[in-house]
Amino acid sequence: MFFVFAALADFILFVLHVAAIFIGEPAYLFLRAGKVMAEADARGETWPAILTGAISTVFLAWAVISFWAGTNKPFARWARYLMIGIGIVFLLRGGVIVLQLGGMAQFSDGEAPQMRDFIFSVSALFIGLLHLAAVFKDKPR
């Protein structure tokens, strides 16, 4: 069941990033992509959408890997190894909370962390642990 939840978390991140492409500047600012990216989107430049599309594609691939890893299909064992890496990436992203809490993290715009930044970090920690729990605690079906 953890495999499905991990895949669902990855898929939700995919959907949120695709939505950010369509929402544009306000979404980039809210998600802390930076003022440079938000202003470029507001000017009609395509690179913010391309970059966000690439990131969302990674999340979609991770969702497929996480779902596949929970099966007994060919290469599922290799998908489980990939899930360990995915979990570590999420834990590293979430680990930024240590810098945020210590007041040592600033964003590209020189802004101090806000409440949503702590929520993003805790969410990343949770999703990383979810991926690792799937691999080490759950049985493939």
Side-chain angles (χ1 to χ4, degrees), residues 73-96:
K73 296 184 185 289
F75 303 108
R77 188 180 83 180
W78 295 106
R80 288 189 282 281
Y81 292 136
L82 289 173
M83 276 190 73
I84 294 170
I86 294 168
I88 291 170
V89 168
F90 276 113
L91 290 178
L92 289 172
R93 164 55 188 92
V96 172

Side-chain angles (χ1 to χ4, degrees), residues 17-32:
H17 281 77
V18 170
I21 293 170
F22 289 101
I23 295 169
E25 181 186 17
Y28 291 132
L29 289 173
F30 179 79
L31 296 172
R32 308 298 257 172

